[in-house]
Amino acid sequence: MAQIRLAQLRKVFGKVVAVRDLDLEIADGEFMVFLGPSGCGKTTTLRCIAGLEQVDGGKIFIGQREVTDRPPGQRGIAMVFQSYAVFPHMSVFENIAFGLRLRRVEGAELRRRVADAAELMQIGALLDRYPSQLSGGQRQRVAVARAIVMRPQVLLMDEPLSNLDALLRLQMRAELRRLHREIRSTTVYVTHDQVEALSLGDRIAVMKDGEIVQCDTPARVYDAPASRFVGSFMGNPPMNFIEGTLQRGNGRLTIVTAGISIPLPPGLQAGAPPAQITLGIRPEHIGVEAAAAPDLIPSMVIVAEPVGPQKLLTVSVGPQMLKVSVPSEFPVDEGQPVWLRFEPARIRLMDSRTGIAL
Ligand code: ATP
């Protein structure tokens, strides 16, 4: 197994800087997720690690070795792609055995390793079938088995679940977690699905415009987004934002927006805050009351959507819309007032100009 280190990695396509001087260390055995919107450079970074792209600057280390100019075959990596890329004319057994045969692994050793990989992916009973006789989920299992049978130091996965339907995705996600616990290969996993990122990653590197804007544990990325971009990209519905002016009075900070004052909890310090500020808070961290009380923020329900055990409310605070959720039996309807309480510890303040968290 091996750690991965990217140092000032740069990749340019014509005028597009796909990867912008990126620094990152991935620990031995870690499951790292690259997450970000389409075109942010996730796949390109992964392909650079794999050796499928020549870099325009920087260095790549796998283990103690620099591999920047080495071909893919000498990097100790295996890849799983979105398109399963299994060979249609080969049985499942031969698909899994393919890379081993290239390495001249034969006989009992070959059979044992194929059987072990198939067992891990729970496709041991399918070894005689051909890909056309498999479901999408089974094909993707074959593709994963074909990668892990090589016992790679590093496993690279590019949106491996995105061709599967929702239920299968859920199942395979749990499978990949289990698999990683068992084989502990250093894994880099590309996705634009935040739920996948939150559930799979030891850490998530959130990318934007070829850069990593935050790299941290799922809990930290979710609870303490480094910027407005991260807060709005993670979470469904995403984090709420309120723009306002920060004022200080009676030893307390208040955000003023369109004539409404939102007192910030005592003890919340903003250092030397900028004048224009963005308050970020996740929907689940806003309490909703049916009656007014001191320090609650008045708002009006614009839309009430039933979503299973919850009701998702779109409420207005002055000119700004927020999403909050209440239990489905909460007695409220569109056009009615409600009062909001922001959980103090969950408030995230950002500089409105830069979007960066204070
Ligand atoms: P997606 O989720 O859509 O796959 P991504 O984050 O993986 O997006 P990349 O595929 O890494 O993004 O692309 C990063 C940028 O580089 C994009 O602007 C893309 O158009 C550009 N790009 C990628 N590959 C090439 C290529 N072979 N030639 C020219 N431009 C490319």
Side-chain angles (χ1 to χ4, degrees):
M1 281 196 233
Q3 70 272 34
I4 301 171
R5 185 156 70 86
L6 310 179
Q8 291 288 296
L9 186 69
R10 189 174 183 83
K11 177 66 191 174
V12 181
F13 295 107
K15 286 189 177 145
V16 178
V17 183
V19 182
R20 197 177 293 272
D21 310 325
L22 196 140
D23 288 309
L24 181 64
E25 289 190 31
I26 303 170
D28 184 22
E30 187 171 18
F31 198 120
M32 172 66 76
V33 177
F34 290 168
L35 175 72
S38 185
C40 69
K42 310 178 291 289
T43 294
T44 305
T45 307
L46 193 79
R47 289 174 57 85
C48 289
I49 298 172
L52 299 172
E53 299 285 357
Q54 250 194 325
V55 308
D56 293 299
K59 292 183 173 163
I60 302 169
F61 299 85
I62 296 179
Q64 300 307 323
R65 287 190 312 158
E66 189 188 341
V67 298
T68 319
D69 297 316
R70 290 188 189 239
Q74 292 178 13
R75 295 188 181 203
I77 54 124
M79 255 188 112
V80 180
F81 299 94
Q82 172 180 352
S83 58
Y84 322 120
V86 291
F87 302 116
H89 60 288
M90 287 184 188
S91 68
V92 168
F93 183 96
E94 286 303 328
N95 262 287
I96 300 174
F98 183 77
L100 292 176
R101 288 200 196 281
L102 287 182
R103 298 247 171 117
R104 308 252 176 276
V105 180
E106 321 257 349
E109 161 86 355
L110 177 89
R111 285 194 298 279
R112 190 177 51 76
R113 283 180 63 177
V114 170
D116 284 352
E119 196 56 39
L120 260 177
M121 292 315 296
Q122 299 175 336
I123 48 172
L126 306 177
L127 290 173
D128 294 331
R129 291 212 203 162
Y130 284 81
S132 63
Q133 300 167 313
L134 302 176
S135 70
Q138 289 167 334
R139 263 178 245 173
Q140 194 54 296
R141 281 165 199 267
V142 175
V144 176
R146 199 176 53 183
I148 59 176
V149 79
M150 304 306 292
R151 298 184 186 148
Q153 295 186 312
V154 170
L155 189 57
L156 304 175
M157 300 204 239
D158 191 357
E159 308 246 13
L161 306 187
S162 56
N163 278 352
L164 307 179
D165 68 42
L167 199 61
L168 254 180
R169 257 205 322 265
L170 209 70
Q171 220 175 44
M172 277 297 285
R173 206 169 73 200
E175 290 279 307
L176 290 180
R177 260 189 87 99
R178 178 186 58 82
L179 178 74
H180 182 252
R181 242 192 352 258
E182 291 185 20
I183 66 170
R184 301 291 332 165
S185 288
T186 309
T187 301
V188 187
Y189 186 101
V190 163
T191 183
H192 60 261
D193 180 335
Q194 37 136 344
V195 181
E196 236 168 76
L198 288 169
S199 74
L200 283 173
D202 291 322
R203 280 191 299 161
I204 303 173
V206 185
M207 295 187 66
K208 179 171 183 261
D209 301 332
E211 294 180 298
I212 293 175
V213 291
Q214 186 169 10
C215 182
D216 214 329
T217 60
R220 291 279 305 163
V221 170
Y222 188 82
D223 291 338
S227 65
R228 181 172 181 147
F229 169 78
V230 177
S232 57
F233 193 76
M234 305 288 285
N236 183 19
M239 188 171 237
N240 292 300
F241 299 102
I242 295 177
E243 303 288 341
T245 316
L246 201 58
Q247 293 184 354
R248 206 181 286 267
N250 301 332
R252 197 152 173 199
L253 293 171
T254 307
I255 288 196
V256 180
T257 176
I260 298 173
S261 290
I262 303 172
L264 294 179
L268 195 71
Q269 293 299 325
Q276 287 301 317
I277 206 150
T278 303
L279 179 155
I281 186 152
R282 295 216 173 266
E284 62 270 32
H285 299 143
I286 300 178
V288 183
E289 304 286 343
D295 272 3
L296 297 189
I297 302 153
S299 73
M300 183 67 76
V301 177
I302 307 298
V303 182
E305 299 165 83
V307 280
Q310 301 273 299
K311 232 186 295 193
L312 180 64
L313 306 181
T314 306
V315 302
S316 64
V317 174
Q320 319 200 49
M321 297 294 167
L322 308 184
K323 299 277 190 195
V324 297
S325 77
V326 291
S328 59
E329 61 277 9
F330 189 90
V332 72
D333 219 331
E334 294 167 1
Q336 293 179 344
V338 286
W339 286 264
L340 310 179
R341 174 184 287 117
F342 293 173
E343 271 183 48
R346 301 299 194 153
I347 289 177
R348 197 94 178 127
L349 295 179
M350 299 162 191
D351 183 333
S352 290
R353 204 172 41 82
T354 60
I356 304 289
L358 300 180

